[in-house]
Amino acid sequence: MTGRRKRVLVDARKVRDFGIGTYIRGLLGGLAGLDRFEVHALVLPGEEALLPPGVSTRTCAAPHYSFEELVAVRRSISALKPDVFHAPHYVVPFFPPRATVVTIHDLMHLTRPEHAAPARRAYARWMVGRALRLSARVITGSEATKKEILAFAPALGGKVVVISYGIREEFFEGEEKREEKNAAPYLLFLGNDKPHKNLEGLLRAWPRVHAAHPTLSLVLTGVKPGRTLPEGAKAVGWVPDEDLPALVALAEALVQPSFAEGFGLPVIEAQAAGTPVACSDLPALREAAGDAAVFFDPHDIDSMVAGIERILKEEELRKILRKNGRERAAKFIWARVAERTADLYEEILGRVSGS
């Protein structure tokens, strides 16, 4: 191993996913920018171009949530021989390297019964358990999620490290984009239609907001176009990385109505862009948003409508949220996430080589 930089292999087969994909792209770009490791990634065939520059790719066509992926990822590890293997989900292959790092973003499959069928919950329980046992360290994005992990496996708590996630520098250019704004006003939902995102709750609240603000629309990212929606709401599906900062910056507000979250990255992205945030009163979102959001009860439509209306009607509040949000978001950048993650890799390698 001497004479070359240490090699990190990241399983990036979920690079197209909404939350996990954002994490994968941000972390890989940050690691490549540090130039401390050779950065390699496993990708599904045809998705190589989704990865940032400076990352070497290797295709792995194994389907997600299958026995086959545990074997295929192991084969890729054997072929590449990385010094560190990083699973940014809880998929740890058979016979993983000793220097294996896992990121567990949340325990939604275990804590939210509506999120997965019984068979899938059983699979997730087995895989999360394996990830905790077989990894050298587990990264999670918030203290709230760390507490959930420790409740699931209290004896393994020494492995769990909180490294908050980051956002791209482009989100901080929101002021310039707003000065050029000529589009009709809209609220923005960043997410998907999985049950814990509470899209249905937002769609129940929306007609009341729209009645009071008829020129306002509701833009839903991560939701496939074509589904029946209330008047004034539109689904735009998956938004490319290069288009997302402008979409966030030009919104009147971001609305995050989730029942549960592992971190809440869209909240930080909106804060960086200077876009006011109305979000659910959850531990993880409180941790992410700090004092720069209006919080509401996601189970109470009246509370949700009132939170959104405060942002739309109170100009002084909007100014405070913009100022506090941008100051807070400055702490969350991918370069810092990558530095802390690289330090963790080196700590693990030092321990493995010394044992």
Side-chain angles (χ1 to χ4, degrees):
M1 296 296 179
T2 59
R4 67 164 176 83
R5 287 182 300 165
K6 300 294 185 181
R7 181 176 296 164
V8 174
L9 175 63
V10 177
D11 183 356
R13 290 174 302 124
K14 279 183 168 285
V15 69
R16 195 179 282 277
D17 279 27
F18 192 81
I20 295 176
T22 300
Y23 174 80
I24 289 170
R25 296 189 300 273
L27 177 62
L28 284 172
L31 290 172
L34 293 178
D35 202 32
R36 287 168 62 177
F37 294 90
E38 283 184 22
V39 183
H40 298 256
L42 298 181
V43 291
L44 296 174
E47 296 190 347
E48 296 88 342
L50 296 177
L51 298 184
V55 179
S56 299
T57 61
R58 179 183 179 89
T59 58
C60 180
H64 299 301
Y65 308 113
S66 67
F67 178 87
E68 182 184 347
E69 73 176 337
L70 303 183
V71 176
V73 173
R74 174 64 256 185
R75 286 198 191 112
S76 295
I77 291 171
S78 297
L80 192 63
K81 296 180 174 57
D83 299 283
V84 178
F85 172 68
H86 189 159
H89 193 26
Y90 48 66
V91 177
V92 175
F94 293 125
F95 310 110
R98 293 176 66 192
T100 289
V101 176
V102 176
T103 300
I104 295 180
H105 303 277
D106 57 61
L107 294 184
M108 217 72 69
H109 286 94
L110 307 184
T111 60
R112 304 292 303 183
E114 77 279 13
H115 195 71
R120 195 162 183 178
R121 284 204 304 276
Y123 173 83
R125 180 173 293 275
W126 177 61
M127 290 295 287
V128 169
R130 289 183 72 253
L132 288 168
R133 289 193 308 274
L134 298 175
S135 60
R137 280 286 188 273
V138 173
I139 295 172
T140 193
S142 69
E143 293 291 343
T145 301
K146 180 179 178 178
K147 288 180 181 177
E148 290 187 350
I149 294 171
L150 296 188
F152 177 76
L156 300 177
K159 289 186 177 183
V160 184
V161 178
V162 176
I163 300 179
S164 297
Y165 306 152
I167 56 174
R168 292 182 289 129
E169 296 289 342
E170 291 90 334
F171 283 100
F172 289 94
E173 299 169 4
E175 291 293 339
E176 300 169 17
K177 291 180 172 62
R178 273 195 302 278
E179 289 174 4
E180 303 168 3
K181 180 175 180 177
N182 54 15
Y186 59 90
L187 297 181
L188 180 64
F189 168 85
L190 292 179
N192 53 53
D193 56 3
K194 291 181 180 178
H196 74 280
K197 293 294 186 182
N198 192 23
L199 175 62
E200 295 305 319
L202 177 58
L203 294 179
R204 288 198 301 273
W206 168 246
R208 290 172 53 183
V209 176
H210 189 49
H213 307 272
T215 63
L216 192 68
S217 62
L218 174 63
V219 174
L220 309 170
T221 71
V223 179
K224 291 182 180 179
R227 64 174 288 175
T228 302
L229 295 170
E231 182 181 354
K234 57 182 178 181
V236 297
W238 188 76
V239 178
D241 273 357
E242 60 269 23
D243 297 336
L244 194 57
L247 185 67
V248 172
L250 297 178
E252 297 298 305
L254 172 79
V255 184
Q256 189 88 358
S258 310
F259 289 132
E261 286 290 346
F263 180 67
L265 195 56
V267 167
I268 308 295
E269 292 171 339
Q271 288 178 332
T275 298
V277 174
C279 65
S280 300
D281 195 354
L282 306 175
L285 293 184
R286 283 271 181 184
E287 195 174 328
D291 62 351
V294 170
F295 296 95
F296 55 76
D297 180 352
H299 300 275
D300 185 339
I301 299 304
D302 290 341
S303 176
M304 190 184 303
V305 171
I308 295 170
E309 287 287 1
R310 282 195 65 198
I311 287 180
L312 293 176
K313 292 179 176 179
E314 299 179 26
E315 183 57 36
E316 189 60 32
L317 173 63
R318 292 170 63 83
K319 291 179 182 177
I320 292 170
L321 293 179
R322 285 195 178 111
K323 177 180 179 296
N324 292 352
R326 287 176 66 82
E327 289 174 357
R328 181 167 183 77
K331 305 174 185 176
F332 298 90
I333 57 173
W334 282 117
R336 185 174 298 174
V337 176
E339 283 278 8
R340 293 192 61 195
T341 305
D343 290 345
L344 190 66
Y345 294 161
E346 291 180 350
E347 175 209 321
I348 293 167
L349 288 170
R351 197 170 69 250
V352 167
S353 63
S355 60

